[in-house]
Amino acid sequence: MGFKIKTIALALAIVILLNLFVYTGIRTFYKAPDRIKYCGDIYSRGPIYTEQDCVAAGGQWFENTPNPQEAVKPMPNGYCNEKATCYALYNEVLAPYERNIFILYIILGLASLLLGFVLKVDAVSAGFNFGAVILLVTGTIRYWRDMNDYLRFIIVGIALALVIWFGYKKLQK
């Protein structure tokens, strides 16, 4: 019983530390684009109450439409999405960064999966295998919204084929 708990604890520690290692490594050596460079510190500005001020600040103005079923109460004419213009620019720069991060996670996840199948110590092998699964899921989730449907299908198909291949190659006895 004690040996099994130690084995599980070691595998779990490897899962957590492997993912933290990849995450902090990427944050340390491959910096994300700085939102403030594109948008400034929009949170330090005061509220914007007019369409002219909103457009001048690079925002997008939305008119409020009163709800006739609500009691009449004072209501501003509209509201400003100050981030509209700057976030469009920021997202243009962020999209390739997220794609590259996705590729890194997939490569490191598959390498960890392969390493997990090669290693002979069960707890270490399991730690790398489960850590690889989390890396693959994390990388895919980060880029999922920017991926087109064909790329999603291809990536998931390749990952599925590799996992099945690894399983047959390494687990059949």
Side-chain angles (χ1 to χ4, degrees):
M1 174 83 171
F3 177 74
K4 190 171 190 165
I5 291 174
K6 289 178 185 176
T7 302
I8 292 170
L10 177 61
L12 193 55
I14 290 171
V15 168
I16 293 167
L17 291 172
L18 173 65
N19 280 274
L20 285 173
F21 181 74
V22 169
Y23 174 77
T24 56
I26 289 172
R27 285 189 56 120
T28 301
F29 298 108
Y30 188 44
K31 302 280 187 201
D34 186 9
R35 179 189 51 80
I36 291 177
K37 178 180 174 187
Y38 294 90
C39 296
D41 190 7
I42 58 175
Y43 299 109
S44 66
R45 298 182 208 141
I48 296 177
Y49 295 109
T50 68
E51 182 175 0
Q52 294 78 13
D53 291 343
C54 178
V55 172
Q60 184 177 10
W61 184 259
F62 295 93
E63 291 290 330
N64 280 332
T65 54
N67 184 349
Q69 295 174 338
E70 288 185 6
V72 177
K73 56 185 172 192
M75 180 181 207
N77 293 337
Y79 63 94
C80 181
N81 177 0
E82 298 175 60
K83 305 170 207 162
T85 304
C86 71
Y87 268 31
L89 296 171
Y90 176 64
N91 284 332
E92 277 183 36
V93 175
L94 189 62
Y97 171 82
E98 290 293 339
R99 180 201 60 224
N100 295 344
I101 295 296
F102 163 71
I103 292 168
L104 278 169
Y105 267 93
I106 296 301
I107 290 169
L108 294 171
L110 291 174
S112 298
L113 190 64
L114 180 60
L115 184 60
F117 281 117
V118 170
L119 296 173
K120 302 292 183 211
V121 177
D122 286 343
V124 176
S125 177
F128 272 97
N129 286 335
F130 284 115
V133 169
I134 292 175
L135 285 172
L136 293 169
V137 169
T138 302
T140 303
I141 288 172
R142 280 187 67 142
Y143 190 58
W144 194 258
R145 72 164 192 231
D146 294 324
M147 246 189 254
N148 69 40
D149 290 338
Y150 293 108
L151 182 58
R152 286 182 191 147
F153 178 74
I154 290 167
I155 294 298
V156 172
I158 289 170
L160 177 62
L162 284 171
V163 168
I164 291 170
W165 180 79
F166 282 140
Y168 270 101
K169 266 318 228 189
K170 297 297 176 180
L171 298 179
Q172 77 185 96
K173 292 185 181 182

